Amino acid sequence: MAELQEVQITEEKPLLPGQMPEAAKTHSVETPYGSVTFTVYGTPKPKRPAILTYHDVGLNYKTCFQSLFQFGDMQEIIQNFVRVHVDAPGMEEGAPVFPSGYQYPSLDQLADMIPCILQYLNFSTIIGVGVGAGAYVLSRYALTHPDTVEGLVLINIDPNAKGWMDWAAHKLTGLTSSAPEMILGHLFSQEELSGNSELVQKYRNIVVHAPNLENIELYWNSYNNRRDLNLERRGDITLRCPVLLVVGDQAPHEDAVVECNSKLDPTQTSFLKMADSGGQPQLTQPGKLTEAFKYFLQGMGYMASSCMTRLSRSRTTSLTSAASIDGNRSRSRTLSQSSESGTLPSGPPGHTMEVSC
Ligand code: BEZ
């Protein structure tokens, strides 16, 4: 049985003034499905996987992940990893619009481009962080290349193909809504869209006025035509690495993520349902997500207490016995987050813990 725990975690802390993000280098490689662009931050660390991100429809790596990766507390994590941020084809800044008739890759083909990126960089393993369509792409990649994926953070994943009912609803919505409106309805909840916060206004502006809107629509079509991942809890098709599933409790994809959780191996999966975070927790709750990511990495043995701030250390004493620096990794799969009192509700290794924060 999943365990539900009320937790309160750190206050949000943006990058301090004067704290400069690391230099980035953007590359493009040719693949059997066309060229793909990615941006590398940091330098490779011996015996450590790269963190590889894949963004959702309507976004690019910056609009999807900058708030999270430039968040103050995130720095102590990411300084230990090289990061590879993939832009889906045609989503990179300044991308020209594809000629009419261009066959955009399917999500499965986008996943098949990842080996070309890793080969080019000479990286052997990754920890994937994906949102929405990007979470699907990374999951597909993990199913076909399990030996190269050490862990996955999947935000708003929907592993199912659209059924007839979904298609009918999609077609009906298409009669009255523009593509940008449908994409915004995929990114944010109806409450968020009608609330029209500054964040929603900003992202509405990004999508509606995107110079590459035609390309975005092609990625959107590929997402809507995705195949079922056919995950089975006890079947042959399942994710074999530690997985952190994340969804906002009012997100449009909440049911899909809950269902995905039911199809994954509970000994490998942690489920983080975030209160008050809406459709894009990596934008609205980077502090909570950073802390969850830290515990996830700790469970994989990558974040020792000595790497962590005094505050975090005081909250994680019972976890650190299972964690060690670099290659000497324990294989316990525990995600814990601090309670208000500072005691640690660490679940037993090998149990899925549902964390509400
Ligand atoms: C990073 O440090 O990985 C990063 C910085 C800016 C935007 C996205 C990621």
Side-chain angles (χ1 to χ4, degrees):
M1 262 300 275
E3 201 178 313
L4 186 71
Q5 297 191 329
E6 281 289 327
V7 294
Q8 185 173 326
I9 49 183
T10 54
E11 288 167 22
E12 307 210 341
K13 189 171 23 157
L15 203 62
L16 294 169
Q19 216 177 334
M20 290 298 288
E22 282 171 285
K25 197 161 185 329
T26 299
H27 311 256
S28 290
V29 286
E30 281 308 317
T31 80
Y33 307 105
S35 127
V36 64
T37 301
F38 49 92
T39 305
V40 181
Y41 286 76
T43 47
K45 306 288 184 287
K47 295 195 193 150
R48 281 183 184 255
I51 292 175
L52 184 141
T53 70
Y54 218 110
H55 63 85
D56 203 354
V57 177
L59 309 176
N60 58 29
Y61 92 86
K62 270 194 190 158
T63 52
C64 192
F65 291 111
Q66 183 157 300
S67 305
L68 180 63
F69 282 81
Q70 290 199 337
F71 187 76
D73 285 349
M74 189 60 139
Q75 305 316 303
E76 66 177 305
I77 300 178
I78 61 176
Q79 70 190 2
N80 298 301
F81 296 90
V82 62
R83 285 92 64 201
V84 182
H85 301 287
V86 182
D87 277 319
M91 306 304 141
E92 65 277 13
E93 274 174 1
V97 170
F98 289 121
S100 69
Y102 172 78
Q103 179 69 49
Y104 198 79
S106 66
L107 293 199
D108 292 4
Q109 291 171 333
L110 294 180
D112 285 342
M113 291 172 154
I114 294 175
C116 303
I117 299 174
L118 298 184
Q119 201 172 16
Y120 175 89
L121 293 170
N122 203 18
F123 294 166
S124 48
T125 62
I126 62 162
I127 293 171
V129 181
V131 183
Y136 179 105
V137 169
L138 292 179
S139 301
R140 175 65 73 196
Y141 173 72
L143 290 173
T144 50
H145 298 80
D147 296 342
T148 67
V149 182
E150 294 197 26
L152 284 175
V153 179
L154 303 175
I155 303 171
N156 296 338
I157 183 160
D158 186 343
N160 301 322
K162 272 188 187 296
W164 287 110
M165 295 286 282
D166 300 317
W167 266 116
H170 181 73
K171 290 284 167 213
L172 276 177
T173 316
L175 295 177
T176 51
S177 311
S178 62
E181 281 307 320
M182 289 205 277
I183 293 167
L184 287 162
H186 161 79
L187 296 174
F188 296 101
S189 67
Q190 283 313 311
E191 293 71 36
E192 285 176 292
L193 290 172
S194 32
N196 207 22
S197 64
E198 263 182 38
L199 182 90
V200 168
Q201 287 176 41
K202 177 179 164 189
Y203 279 82
R204 189 187 295 280
N205 201 38
I206 287 173
V207 176
V208 170
H209 299 295
N212 60 339
L213 185 57
E214 279 118 306
N215 299 351
I216 294 174
E217 289 182 28
L218 295 175
Y219 187 22
W220 177 233
N221 288 341
S222 289
Y223 178 66
N224 287 309
N225 286 313
R226 68 192 178 279
R227 290 196 298 141
D228 206 300
L229 283 180
N230 286 320
L231 298 172
E232 288 174 27
R233 179 160 276 190
R234 284 176 197 84
D236 290 340
I237 306 174
T238 195
L239 297 172
R240 305 207 178 276
C241 60
V243 178
L244 172 59
L245 291 175
V246 182
V247 70
D249 67 351
Q250 284 140 40
H253 307 284
E254 189 189 348
D255 293 348
V257 182
V258 170
E259 194 192 327
C260 183
N261 186 42
S262 74
K263 291 179 175 174
L264 293 178
D265 177 354
T267 66
Q268 296 276 50
T269 310
S270 302
F271 182 27
L272 178 62
K273 198 191 275 190
M274 297 174 79
D276 310 321
S277 75
Q280 299 295 308
Q282 80 286 6
L283 301 178
T284 53
Q285 310 252 24
K288 289 178 182 174
L289 201 49
T290 297
E291 191 133 3
F293 189 39
K294 193 185 286 181
Y295 292 125
F296 180 67
L297 292 172
Q298 268 198 315
M300 296 169 67
Y302 278 124
M303 291 289 294
S305 60
S306 56
C307 301
M308 299 168 71
T309 59
R310 190 189 53 75
L311 177 66
S312 304
R313 262 203 309 276
S314 70
R315 292 166 148 188
T316 56
T317 43
S318 66
L319 251 191
T320 51
S321 58
S324 59
I325 313 177
D326 285 323
N328 184 18
R329 286 176 286 132
S330 133
R331 280 290 164 192
S332 69
R333 316 289 186 201
T334 309
L335 169 70
S336 306
Q337 294 199 321
S338 58
S339 68
E340 211 169 342
S341 65
T343 55
L344 186 80
S346 65
H351 279 67
T352 299
M353 182 180 292
E354 223 176 285
V355 183
S356 171
C357 48

